[in-house]
Amino acid sequence: MYSYRTTYTSTVDTEALGAAMGVYALIAAVIAVVMIVSLWKIFKKAGKPGWASIIPFYNLYTLFEISGMNGWMFLLTLIPIVNVVMLIMVYINLAKAFGKTGGFAVGLIFLSVIFFPILAFGDAKYVGVEGNAAPKA
């Protein structure tokens, strides 16, 4: 009778992998909180309820409204490839709505984690988009 005995050794250090995943999760959580707080402040500046930033889909709907676009156009973000184009349009219009230049819009597109807090906590005022009057504060 034959007997096979095998042993497997792993080259992956599971403890290090677990620690790396924990650090990644912590960084992702911090970024999520920064973005939620930034959106809250941006919504308040634009005369919208701040709590809208924590409601999935409604926060995107509100962001489209603030940007001067039809709120229901956010449904187009559910379509692959179209979603990228729509979000670029929203970020460009969002920069215009706060009186910022095209360079700031590029920053919103590529470095959102940095430029959303700048927009939220900086001295930017909501001026609206042409056709949409800014709310009276």
Side-chain angles (χ1 to χ4, degrees):
M1 176 177 299
Y2 293 103
S3 172
Y4 294 101
R5 187 172 194 161
T6 59
T7 58
Y8 296 101
T9 58
S10 174
T11 59
V12 175
D13 185 3
T14 55
E15 289 178 9
L17 182 62
M21 289 175 56
V23 168
Y24 175 77
L26 181 63
I27 291 170
V30 167
I31 289 172
V33 168
V34 166
M35 290 301 287
I36 289 170
V37 170
S38 297
L39 275 177
W40 189 297
K41 294 284 287 179
I42 289 169
F43 288 175
K44 294 293 276 182
K45 282 184 174 185
K48 299 288 184 180
W51 55 262
S53 65
I54 59 175
I55 310 295
F57 297 107
Y58 184 60
N59 60 6
L60 198 53
Y61 174 82
T62 306
L63 194 60
F64 269 74
E65 283 187 330
I66 290 171
S67 300
M69 299 175 73
N70 182 354
W72 290 104
M73 288 179 73
F74 86 93
L75 292 173
L76 293 174
T77 60
L78 300 175
I79 303 170
I81 299 172
V82 176
N83 58 3
V84 175
V85 173
M86 293 305 297
L87 286 176
I88 289 172
M89 290 172 51
V90 166
Y91 288 171
I92 290 169
N93 288 342
L94 184 65
K96 288 179 187 175
F98 280 90
K100 299 293 185 180
T101 63
F104 196 87
V106 171
L108 283 173
I109 293 166
F110 291 110
L111 297 170
S112 300
V113 176
I114 296 170
F115 280 80
F116 268 86
I118 290 172
L119 192 62
F121 298 105
D123 60 351
K125 303 254 188 281
Y126 183 72
V127 295
V129 183
E130 61 180 69
N132 289 352
K136 298 197 169 50

